[in-house]
Amino acid sequence: ADAPGSGLHPVGSGAGGLEGGGIMGKSRPPCLQKSPPGTGATISSFRAADSFSLVVGMDAELVLALDLGTSSTRTALFDVAGQRVPGTTAQEAYELITSRDGAAEIDPGVLLRAVMHCLEQTMHAHRLDPVLRARPIAGIGVSTFWHSLVGCEAKGVSITPIITWADARSREESTRLRQRFDEKRMHARTGCMLRASFWPAKLRWLERVQHRKFTTVKHWMSPAEWLQVTLTGEANCALGMATGTGL
């Protein structure tokens, strides 16, 4: 989400808290380089109930899955039938930074390092096995924790921590929002209630307690879009992710 009046779109890359990582820039990291094209799976027959069986050859295409959670990141390769390829799973845990006043944050640099380490391990497993290496990676699927946001500069460099869905410091703002607006109508309109988990209360809280930093933010993004910008130089917000903001 662009800050009011910015009129800018993320085109750069970066990550708060990561120094000299060597993975920034507009080119994709080696572990995300496009695999050579393959033949893929072929449809062998159609059945009466519109179902079909797939002939999965040794060169059948794969999907790289990336699962970002509030406590760890996982990566793995899956085949076209949705089965996980043994030996390709990687996982790295990180700390959810909490406080007595309700904070629940993740350092963007820590998250990025975990993502890169997992991607490198999974891709190493893909390259190491000659049989697996012959199977091209045709797509990437990403699952990310919802309702969370990070403030970024114009080129996508993070300047705030990732404030997760579990952060409750904006509960006073959510109370004020419920006093001002009809929560049932807002729920019907946005799919989200006026609670501390969602963006409206979080943004109002940030504007109040970190006003100077708030005014320097050019884009508010979910961790998913921020990682897209950091790794590829551009980003798109999925409809599903947008519906979880409450805006």
Side-chain angles (χ1 to χ4, degrees):
D2 294 343
S6 66
L8 298 171
H9 300 278
V11 295
S13 59
L18 186 67
E19 299 178 358
I23 58 173
M24 302 304 179
K26 296 181 180 179
S27 61
R28 295 181 181 179
C31 60
L32 292 181
Q33 295 297 328
K34 187 176 180 181
S35 300
T39 56
T42 58
I43 300 175
S44 61
S45 62
F46 283 91
R47 304 189 186 278
D50 294 328
S51 63
F52 59 87
S53 60
L54 294 175
V55 178
V56 181
M58 297 305 292
D59 59 348
E61 295 175 336
L62 299 169
V63 173
L64 172 62
L66 174 60
D67 178 21
L68 306 174
T70 51
S71 60
S72 70
T73 286
R74 296 181 296 173
T75 55
L77 293 173
F78 287 78
D79 62 23
V80 294
Q83 299 298 312
R84 185 166 56 182
V85 178
T88 65
T89 301
Q91 184 170 9
E92 183 164 328
Y94 35 77
E95 179 185 11
L96 181 66
I97 304 169
T98 61
S99 66
R100 291 185 177 181
D101 64 349
E105 300 177 342
I106 297 174
D107 184 307
V110 171
L111 175 64
L112 181 61
R113 281 194 291 270
V115 169
M116 294 307 300
H117 290 164
C118 289
L119 286 171
E120 288 166 359
Q121 291 178 53
T122 295
M123 295 307 299
H124 178 71
H126 180 259
R127 293 190 297 266
L128 193 63
D129 186 335
V131 176
L132 196 58
R133 188 169 62 241
R135 301 174 64 179
I137 297 175
I140 302 174
V142 182
S143 173
T144 313
F145 49 92
W146 224 1
H147 316 312
S148 308
L149 77 166
V150 56
C152 301
E153 295 178 349
K155 293 185 177 181
V157 179
S158 63
I159 58 177
T160 74
I162 296 171
I163 302 173
T164 72
W165 57 271
D167 195 300
R169 289 173 293 180
S170 62
R171 49 186 174 266
E172 290 185 12
E173 276 69 24
S174 66
T175 298
R176 295 190 186 102
L177 286 171
R178 290 195 298 274
Q179 292 170 347
R180 181 177 177 182
F181 300 101
D182 185 322
E183 187 174 32
K184 289 184 177 180
R185 290 185 62 185
M186 295 300 293
H187 186 207
R189 181 178 178 181
T190 68
C192 300
M193 303 178 76
L194 296 173
R195 305 296 164 131
S197 296
F198 305 106
W199 284 30
K202 282 181 165 58
L203 290 172
R204 288 173 67 93
W205 173 78
L206 283 164
E207 184 180 23
R208 178 172 63 85
V209 302
Q210 299 182 27
H211 182 74
R212 180 172 296 181
K213 181 175 288 187
F214 183 89
T215 58
T216 64
V217 171
K218 298 301 181 183
H219 310 285
W220 294 101
M221 311 180 191
S222 81
E225 292 91 67
W226 173 74
L227 280 170
Q228 286 182 55
V229 170
T230 302
L231 296 177
T232 71
E234 57 185 20
N236 294 298
C237 182
L239 289 176
M241 184 62 71
T243 62
T245 64
L247 298 180

